[in-house]
Amino acid sequence: MSEKFAVPTDRSLPRPLVRRVLREEIKEYLIDAILRGRLRPGDRIIEMRIAQDLGVSQTPVREALRDLELLGFVTSAPFRGTRVRAFTHDELVEIYPIRAAIEGVAARAAATRITTEQLLALEEQIDRMREASELGDEATAIEADIAFHHIIVEASGNRLLEQFWTSLSLATTTYLTFSVHRRAIEGLAARHEPILEALRARESDRAEAVMRRHIEEPARWVYAALSRGSVDPPAS
């Protein structure tokens, strides 16, 4: 970690550029920590502690946290500091149709752009889901699920779309990681296979349609579960 965040000693490199690069690396580090559950909804993020852990000053950490607040990953309030954002039930339900639209567009674009290497990476993530489901390893299954969708969003070649997806993925990951039980991973691999098949066939219309269905189906599960009160809300 110290090597990744080490500031170059070359005096010819402008200091503002160094700080900007650090800010982006710290932001990626924190997003990864949140999505992998090392930082949970409601957890406080202390600038000084993050700076010490990464061997940097507090300034780029503060700037990274401001960026994360704009993306919706964290919230900041007087006397409470900065915390990982927690989502209400209503927000979780409302996010799914937005995510279905965004990922449908991503799948359509990816169908004509995706590389052989990316298709192989999607196969690998499906294999991880299947193995994790058999072992009852929810954390790995959810991690593979996120990676699968991220590969497709990256393959779309639309960087703005990728930014939107990243901010929305926090909410859906928060729900999967902390609010659902084993049903979340049962049949998970099989549910992703039609998406891979459509992308392999380079069929844009089909890829968009199967992606939308893929996301809209669990949205109905979420709505039904929340209506019954059978799940706990994310920590706040």
Side-chain angles (χ1 to χ4, degrees), residues 89-213:
H89 287 171
D90 287 343
E91 286 174 325
L92 289 169
V93 171
E94 290 168 357
I95 279 171
Y96 273 94
I98 300 172
R99 186 182 162 201
I102 287 175
E103 293 207 36
V105 171
R108 168 178 283 276
T112 58
R113 299 172 60 99
I114 197 163
T115 65
T116 300
E117 290 76 14
Q118 287 170 324
L119 288 170
L120 290 172
L122 292 177
E123 287 183 26
E124 181 182 345
Q125 298 308 324
I126 289 177
D127 288 341
R128 287 182 69 205
M129 291 178 215
R130 186 174 294 108
E131 182 178 352
S133 180
E134 291 171 356
L135 297 173
D137 183 354
E138 294 183 16
T140 298
I142 292 169
E143 184 178 300
D145 188 349
I146 295 167
F148 181 95
H149 288 269
H150 194 193
I151 291 165
I152 294 172
V153 172
E154 284 186 326
S156 74
N158 188 322
R159 296 298 160 240
L160 184 59
L161 187 152
E162 187 173 357
Q163 287 182 353
F164 292 149
W165 178 87
T166 299
S167 62
L168 289 177
S169 69
L170 171 64
T172 49
T173 304
T174 295
Y175 184 84
L176 284 172
T177 306
F178 304 112
S179 299
V180 300
H181 304 293
R182 181 165 176 77
R183 180 177 183 180
I185 64 171
E186 288 179 355
L188 189 63
R191 291 187 55 248
H192 285 78
E193 287 172 353
I195 302 171
L196 177 57
E197 291 169 5
L199 292 172
R200 274 205 198 102
R202 310 285 178 177
E203 296 180 7
S204 297
D205 289 346
R206 180 181 162 200
E208 180 176 8
V210 295
M211 178 63 83
R212 281 179 173 269
R213 284 199 301 271

Side-chain angles (χ1 to χ4, degrees), residues 26-27 30-31 34 39-50 58-86 170 236:
I26 294 166
K27 183 170 69 175
L30 291 171
I31 287 175
I34 292 169
L39 288 171
R40 298 191 170 212
D43 281 358
R44 187 176 179 187
I45 301 177
I46 301 173
E47 287 180 15
M48 183 181 297
R49 185 176 301 165
I50 297 296
Q58 287 183 238
T59 300
V61 175
R62 187 177 304 118
E63 292 170 345
L65 289 173
R66 286 174 186 160
D67 290 346
L68 291 181
E69 187 168 14
L70 290 174
L71 285 171
F73 274 74
V74 302
T75 58
S76 180
F79 310 112
R80 295 195 70 222
T82 301
R83 296 178 181 272
V84 179
R85 182 178 175 186
L170 171 64
S236 59

